[in-house]
Amino acid sequence: MSGFPPSYNNIDAPAYTAGPSDALPAYDDRGAPSAFIPASTINDKLPNHFKINGQYVQPQLLSSDLHAHLVLLGAFHRLREEVRTVKGNDTDIRMEPEERWAVFLQRAVHRFEQWAIRMIGGEGNEEEHNNRGPASLLAPTEVPPLDVMMVWHTYMLNPRAYYEDCIRNFQGLLNIGSFPLMQLAGSIDQESLLPHPPSTERASAFRSLTGQPFEYPVNTTSEHTLVISCPSCSQPSNVPWITHLGDGYAQRGFVYACEKCNFKFNREALGVRTFYDDMEKCFSHPDKYFLANSIVDHQVGLPVDPQVSQALSEIVIGARQDLKGARAEQMGGKLGWTMNDVEDYCRIGVLDKHNKPFLSTPRQYVIALYPESSTSESS
C-alpha cells in the first residue's frame, strides 16, 4: 500500500477573496456558504522563508489560515458554553454542566459517524484507498452542523488513527483529504461565532441521509434514544441516552437488557462485539479486511504491505480453526463477552508466533483498537 495520510492544513484550499470584516459569506444557487472571507486587516504577505533551528523553511500557513482556525475554535468554545449553561424544563434529568457536556459529546460523536458513513461514504475496504481520485472539498450540501465539525476537527488531531480508520471505515473522508478549514470556517459568523442558518437543501440532505436533525441537540432528556443492536443476538433496540438511574448509553453506568434474548450488555460487550465483527470479516476475506492497528506503520505513518497486515491479523485471530465461518454473535457464545475473554484468546496467537512482526500485548492491542470495550472498566 502507498499514499500519504490526509494533512491537517489548508494549502490546497480554494483561494479566498478579501473583504470587509463584517461581510457575510456569499451563498451560491445551492445555498451553501462560500469559502472563509478573512478580515481586511489580515495580511498574508509573508517572507519567502523563515529560519528555524538553523534551517530555512517555507511558510506552511498564511495569516488568513490562522484567522479561520481561530474563528472555528471560537465557535467550538461558544458551543461548549451554550451546552453547559442550557436550562432544561422541570421534567428533565438534572445534570451538572460537565455532565451535560459529556452527554452532548457522546451524541456529537454518534452524529459524526452517521454523517461520515451515510452522507460522505463509509464502509470502505483496505485496498480501495489506492484507487481514489484527487482530494476534493465537500459538496455544498455536505457541510455538516457545528457539532459534527468539532468532532471531525478533534478526530484529525490523531492523524495516524484517523488515517487508518478512514481506510477501514470512512472511505469518503479519505477522498476529501485535508481538513477543509476555509470551507467550514465560512459557515461561521465571525462576529457572533454562531453558525449561519443552513439552506433548506443543506438541512434536508443531512436529515434524510443521516436520520438526525440538522440542529445539534443542546439538551438531552430521557425521551431521546438511539438504535443499538444487541451484541448477542443482533436485535436492534431503542436505547435512551440518559435515564434517572444513570444507566443510559451516554452515562457511566450504561447497561441494557435486550428485549429479545434478555442478554444484559454494557459498553465492554459492545466493544467486544465490534472485535468479533472484524474477526468475521477477516475470516471471510483474509486478503481484503484486516484488523485495526495492523494497516498503518506507527513510525512512518504510511500503510504497510497488505501481506504484513494480513499476517498480523491472522496471528491475533487465527488460533482456533473452529471459529472460521462462525458469525460474530456465535463467537461471543464460544469465547465470551468480556475483555478478559478476548485477551485470553488473542494471547494464544500472539505468544505462539515469536518470529512474526511485533505486536503489543493482547490487552493493549484490543483496548487501543476497540476503546468502547474499556470504557466500563475506566469509569
Side-chain angles (χ1 to χ4, degrees):
M1 296 182 182
S2 61
F4 291 90
S7 58
Y8 184 75
N9 59 49
N10 201 56
I11 301 302
D12 56 352
Y16 65 87
T17 302
S21 59
D22 58 349
L24 298 180
Y27 283 75
D28 62 19
D29 57 354
R30 288 172 292 185
S34 66
F36 180 77
I37 302 176
S40 58
T41 55
I42 301 298
N43 186 357
D44 274 337
K45 293 181 179 179
L46 299 174
N48 292 330
H49 57 263
F50 294 92
K51 190 175 182 179
I52 301 177
N53 196 26
Q55 296 182 340
Y56 290 96
V57 180
Q58 292 182 341
Q60 300 297 305
L61 295 171
L62 300 176
S63 299
S64 55
D65 298 327
L66 299 178
H67 183 203
H69 198 184
L70 288 174
V71 168
L72 202 59
L73 293 177
F76 296 160
H77 175 74
R78 190 210 147 278
L79 174 62
R80 179 175 182 269
E81 293 307 304
E82 178 185 359
V83 173
R84 292 179 74 254
T85 58
V86 68
K87 302 296 183 182
N89 57 51
D90 294 337
T91 61
D92 288 349
I93 298 173
R94 297 180 63 86
M95 291 185 288
E96 295 298 322
E98 290 307 317
E99 290 180 285
R100 287 188 178 277
W101 179 241
V103 170
F104 178 84
L105 291 179
Q106 294 267 7
R107 299 189 67 179
V109 169
H110 176 69
R111 284 159 56 83
F112 167 81
E113 291 173 344
Q114 301 305 304
W115 170 79
I117 293 177
R118 297 185 180 184
M119 195 165 189
I120 304 304
E123 300 300 333
N125 68 63
E126 290 76 349
E127 295 181 339
E128 290 178 352
H129 75 287
N130 281 332
N131 301 320
R132 69 182 188 273
S136 60
L137 291 174
L138 295 169
T141 55
E142 292 174 340
V143 177
L146 183 61
D147 61 327
V148 174
M149 293 185 199
M150 179 181 64
V151 173
W152 190 13
H153 176 274
T154 304
Y155 202 172
M156 291 193 75
L157 296 179
N158 189 341
R160 191 208 63 79
Y162 178 83
Y163 184 31
E164 179 161 289
D165 288 349
C166 284
I167 294 174
R168 300 182 73 249
N169 301 311
F170 304 126
Q171 191 70 30
L173 292 181
L174 196 64
N175 295 337
I176 294 171
S178 301
F179 187 75
L181 176 61
M182 288 296 192
Q183 186 182 25
L184 299 185
S187 67
I188 307 298
D189 177 65
Q190 298 180 36
E191 299 298 328
S192 67
L193 299 179
L194 286 167
H196 289 295
S199 67
T200 301
E201 294 79 7
R202 181 180 165 207
S204 176
F206 185 86
R207 284 194 301 268
S208 62
L209 292 175
T210 68
Q212 301 285 318
F214 187 89
E215 299 76 16
Y216 45 80
V218 294
N219 190 36
T220 299
T221 72
S222 58
E223 296 181 355
H224 294 122
T225 62
L226 77 160
V227 177
I228 296 180
S229 295
C230 171
S232 180
C233 71
S234 301
Q235 172 71 20
S237 298
N238 289 316
V239 178
W241 284 100
I242 59 175
T243 70
H244 290 278
L245 298 176
D247 57 2
Y249 183 76
Q251 296 171 298
R252 291 182 175 228
F254 168 65
V255 64
Y256 189 82
C258 176
E259 299 172 358
K260 180 180 179 181
C261 68
N262 294 321
F263 176 67
K264 286 187 176 182
F265 59 89
N266 54 16
R267 284 184 174 273
E268 180 179 23
L270 291 174
V272 171
R273 170 58 191 262
T274 302
F275 182 77
Y276 292 155
D277 285 335
D278 284 354
M279 283 181 61
E280 182 179 350
K281 289 182 180 179
C282 291
F283 281 144
S284 300
H285 305 281
D287 58 342
K288 181 179 180 181
Y289 291 104
F290 316 122
L291 289 181
N293 219 33
S294 67
I295 299 172
V296 176
D297 187 289
H298 283 222
Q299 294 181 325
V300 300
L302 296 175
V304 299
D305 188 281
Q307 293 182 344
V308 174
S309 298
Q310 183 176 349
L312 290 172
S313 299
E314 290 178 349
I315 288 173
V316 175
I317 66 174
R320 284 177 50 174
Q321 296 298 315
D322 63 308
L323 291 179
K324 293 185 177 180
R327 297 176 61 185
E329 53 262 39
Q330 295 171 328
M331 295 178 188
K334 293 182 178 181
L335 300 179
W337 291 106
T338 69
M339 274 290 298
N340 288 333
D341 296 326
V342 175
E343 181 183 4
D344 290 342
Y345 174 74
C346 293
R347 180 184 285 112
I348 298 174
V350 174
L351 299 184
D352 189 47
K353 305 291 184 181
H354 299 293
N355 61 337
K356 297 295 183 180
F358 172 76
L359 279 177
S360 304
T361 64
R363 189 174 189 80
Q364 292 174 333
Y365 185 87
V366 178
I367 288 178
L369 310 191
Y370 307 92
E372 275 191 336
S373 60
S374 62
T375 302
S376 60
E377 296 181 353
S378 62
S379 52

